[in-house]
Amino acid sequence: MTSATQASGLRRRANSGFFRRPGSRLPSYGQNPSTALCLRMPSGVDVVPVPKAPRPAAVAPAVARDDGWSELTLDVVVRAQLVRLASEVQYKEDVLARFGGYGAAEAYLTDVRHAVTALTQLVDEHGWPGLDTAGRDGCDAALVIAQAAGLNEQRRLRPALARAVATGRLPESHLLHLSTLIARATGTRLDDVAAVAGPR
């Protein structure tokens, strides 16, 4: 064997060992990869043919069911949003009162700002939510959010609340509660709150 033939054989063995490890299913250099990665079945094992996919069956039209989703109206969504926002504000307020700290205060103020912004947008577009639309829990939630708002936001929201009370959509206790907060913050008499906060 000539030295050139020996060198060529060494290169082939080196390449074979470099590109293909013992027991590996990866293709070696120059091998067809489509056949190298095929699994070999053990002897004596029968290959089970894969059945053809069945033809799609005809789908019958859906039958309308009374599962409660038909009652998902704008009023239901607004009520759920108000209750969720008020619950978050009350929870963060409780955490702040129990543990204190800068992080708890920042989390509380963030939730308050978010809730007040949502309530203000709702009032600007649809008026103050009443018992006929938001239910008792939604109206109470709106009052909780207004209670946590700043003085300027409370003054801005009070006329809409007063209109809802005047039309019988809310009890007068809601207006009295917000008016008391404004009077306490401004140091004015309760009778003067209407003039300070704006007309009904």
Side-chain angles (χ1 to χ4, degrees):
M1 182 181 293
T2 63
S3 59
T5 306
Q6 289 177 348
S8 175
L10 289 175
R11 280 197 300 270
R12 281 199 299 271
R13 283 196 297 274
N15 289 342
S16 176
F18 182 76
F19 286 101
R20 185 174 185 181
R21 298 179 183 272
S24 174
R25 293 188 300 129
L26 294 176
S28 61
Y29 182 74
Q31 186 179 1
N32 186 0
S34 62
T35 60
L37 294 179
C38 293
L39 293 175
R40 293 196 176 116
M41 298 296 293
S43 60
V45 177
D46 295 332
V47 178
V48 179
V50 179
K52 294 183 180 180
R55 298 178 62 184
V59 179
V63 180
R65 296 181 303 167
D66 188 14
D67 54 1
W69 287 104
S70 58
E71 302 296 327
L72 191 62
T73 61
L74 177 62
D75 296 338
V76 174
V77 173
V78 167
R79 179 190 311 176
Q81 182 187 24
L82 289 173
V83 171
R84 179 181 60 81
L85 292 173
S87 300
E88 291 175 358
V89 167
Q90 286 183 319
Y91 173 73
K92 296 292 175 57
E93 184 179 13
D94 182 58
V95 171
L96 178 61
R98 291 176 61 189
F99 304 106
Y102 178 82
E106 187 63 32
Y108 169 72
L109 292 176
T110 300
D111 280 355
V112 167
R113 285 192 293 266
H114 179 62
V116 170
T117 300
L119 177 62
T120 303
Q121 292 176 350
L122 173 66
V123 170
D124 290 343
E125 295 177 7
H126 305 285
W128 192 274
L131 294 172
D132 54 338
T133 57
R136 182 75 190 191
D137 52 349
C139 294
D140 291 343
L143 187 60
V144 167
I145 296 172
Q147 171 182 295
L151 179 60
N152 291 335
E153 287 83 5
Q154 289 176 347
R155 285 176 170 174
R156 178 181 174 185
L157 292 170
R158 186 192 177 279
L161 176 56
R163 286 191 294 271
V165 171
T167 55
R169 300 176 61 235
L170 276 176
E172 193 172 0
S173 59
H174 284 226
L175 178 61
L176 180 61
H177 183 78
L178 186 61
S179 299
T180 302
L181 293 176
I182 296 174
R184 186 175 64 183
T186 57
T188 58
R189 291 170 50 88
L190 192 58
D191 298 337
D192 299 332
V193 170
V196 173
R200 287 191 174 192

